[in-house]
């Protein structure tokens, strides 16, 4: 299973005998090496890597564009992020943004800036992850840029996607009394990060120790191998439910519902007892002495979809496993609140919610 592979990779320094210096290839050799096995999958991709620009035919649809920049030491930590996972996650995070517009991700470009600390084999791993995600989501890698950095690794992924003109879903179009729904479960990626950080500290104190990741497979997988919820869009289309507004949860439920509220000029009420939290996340939260609601509200990087639907669509949604109604939109004068198990109303804030309350 995937998580076993993680255990082997974690905290393992690159083996010396398996190292090809980037200087042996030069920029063009490197690009050629990393992209030589790419096969174009989508009919809309007319030209991929190898010219001054990629060429894409979008017929009469809307083009969606989303970009992310990841910096070593800021957005990822090389001590516990295997490069294959980093590549996978970098791609998936961008697919998730396209999907949150009710679109289909179709192409990515990948720009990297690397220091000579990285070997060819390391970058191959990064591209293995990127291309694995592209394979799974039927996306073409059509270009990028490659430069040297003075230190560390920078990766920028730009995703292109498409959506029919009458199907695009924005953040600012929720209506009063709409129901707030979320896919999957929340807080897992955050708990995974907490555990990886804990083991990193233990490892720094005693490099001979073996990381203790027993029982944390689920949350570590949520952190290191997230998925974008393309399946949810298919389900919604299948039952003919169109979200009125949608966003993907990258910063945490509290921050991301605020975006919908602010942009739609509405308030909302979310209910603590409705927040979907997996058993393993609950257990991990307990180990760290935080409430699972805190993990669900403030933990980011779950890449679940947060969307609003009309009340009329409730019966349809209710029957779907893996989608939970967690609250409703209301008049802006009522504010943005979490209703706790005890019936208290706590104002939600983009950050620092847990400073109000920590069990
Ligand atoms: P230019 O001088 O026009 O920027 P480059 O030599 O940088 O061209 O790139 C040549 C081709 O290789 C282009 O198609 C570009 O999109 C692609 N490319 C460059 N770097 C990468 C990368 N890291 N991953 C994928 N494709 C890349
Ligand atoms: Mg270039």
């Amino acid at each position: 299973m995937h998580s076993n592979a993680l255990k082997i990779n974690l905290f393992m320094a690159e083996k010396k005998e398996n190292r090809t210096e980037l200087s042996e290839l030069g920029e063009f050799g490197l690009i050629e090496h990393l992209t030589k096995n790419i096969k174009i999958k989508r009919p809309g991709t007319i030209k991929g890597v190898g010219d001054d620009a990629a060429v894409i035919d979008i017929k009469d649809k809307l083009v969606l564009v989303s970009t992310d920049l990841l910096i070593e030491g800021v957005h990822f930590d090389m001590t516990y992020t295997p490069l294959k996972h980093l590549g996978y996650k970098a791609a998936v995070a961008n697919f998730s943004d396209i999907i949150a517009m009710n679109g289909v991700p179709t192409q990515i470009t990948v720009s990297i800036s690397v220091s000579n600390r990285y070997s060819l084999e390391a970058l191959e791993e990064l591209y293995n992850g990127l291309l694995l995600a592209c394979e799974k989501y039927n996306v073409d890698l059509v270009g990028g840029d490659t430069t040297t950095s003075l230190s560390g690794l920078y990766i920028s992924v730009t995703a292109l996607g498409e959506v029919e003109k009458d199907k695009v879903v924005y953040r600012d179009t929720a209506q009063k009394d709409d129901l707030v729904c979320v896919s999957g479960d929340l807080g897992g990626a955050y708990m995974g990060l907490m555990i990886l950080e804990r083991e990193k500290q233990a490892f720094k104190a005693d490099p001979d120790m073996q990381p203790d990741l027993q029982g944390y497979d689920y949350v570590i997988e949520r952190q290191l191998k997230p998925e974008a919820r393309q399946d949810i869009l298919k389900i919604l289309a299948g039952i003919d439910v169109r979200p009125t507004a949608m966003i993907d949860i990258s910063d945490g439920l509290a921050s991301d519902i605020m975006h919908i509220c602010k942009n739609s000029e509405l308030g909302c009420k979310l209910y603590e007892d409705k927040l979907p939290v997996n058993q393993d996340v609950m257990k991990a939260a307990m180990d760290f002495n935080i409430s699972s609601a805190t993990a669900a509200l403030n933990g980011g990087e779950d890449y679940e979809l947060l969307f609003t639907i009309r009340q009329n669509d409730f019966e349809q949604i209710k029957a779907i496993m893996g989608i939970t109604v967690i609250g409703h939109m209301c008049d802006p004068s009522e504010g943005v609140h979490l209703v706790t198990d005890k019936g208290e109303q706590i104002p939600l804030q983009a950050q620092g919610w847990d400073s109000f309350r920590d069990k």
Side-chain angles (χ1 to χ4, degrees), residues 12 33 38-39 69 75 92 155 174 187 199 227 283 300 319 340:
M12 283 217 336
H33 188 90
I38 292 175
K39 290 195 180 59
L69 172 61
H75 304 103
V92 162
I155 311 165
E199 294 310 307
E227 299 292 351
K283 191 190 155 291
T340 69

Side-chain angles (χ1 to χ4, degrees), residues 9 14 72 76 78 80-89 114 118-119 121-130 153 155:
N9 283 335
E14 196 183 350
E72 181 178 350
F76 58 91
M78 287 306 303
Y80 53 73
T81 314
L83 279 162
K84 188 170 177 183
H85 290 254
L86 182 63
Y88 193 88
K89 185 169 173 173
V114 267
Y118 287 85
S119 65
E121 289 74 17
L123 294 185
E124 279 174 355
E125 277 296 288
L126 179 73
Y127 269 70
N128 284 341
L130 285 161
L153 173 64
I155 311 165

Side-chain angles (χ1 to χ4, degrees), residues 85-145:
H85 290 254
L86 182 63
Y88 193 88
K89 185 169 173 173
V92 162
N94 275 275
F95 300 161
S96 182
D97 282 321
I98 300 292
I99 288 164
M101 305 297 292
N102 205 25
V104 178
T106 49
Q107 290 88 13
I108 56 171
T109 62
V110 177
S111 297
I112 53 176
S113 189
V114 267
S115 74
N116 58 15
R117 180 156 63 78
Y118 287 85
S119 65
L120 177 64
E121 289 74 17
L123 294 185
E124 279 174 355
E125 277 296 288
L126 179 73
Y127 269 70
N128 284 341
L130 285 161
L131 292 171
L132 185 65
C134 286
E135 202 56 50
K136 175 151 185 188
Y137 290 83
N138 194 27
V139 167
D140 289 330
L141 198 164
V142 297
D145 201 22

Side-chain angles (χ1 to χ4, degrees), residues 27-28 31 34-35 38 48-54 110-112 127 141-146:
E27 182 192 330
F28 299 127
I31 297 170
L34 293 177
T35 60
I38 292 175
V49 171
D51 211 313
D52 296 311
V110 177
S111 297
I112 53 176
Y127 269 70
L141 198 164
V142 297
D145 201 22
T146 309

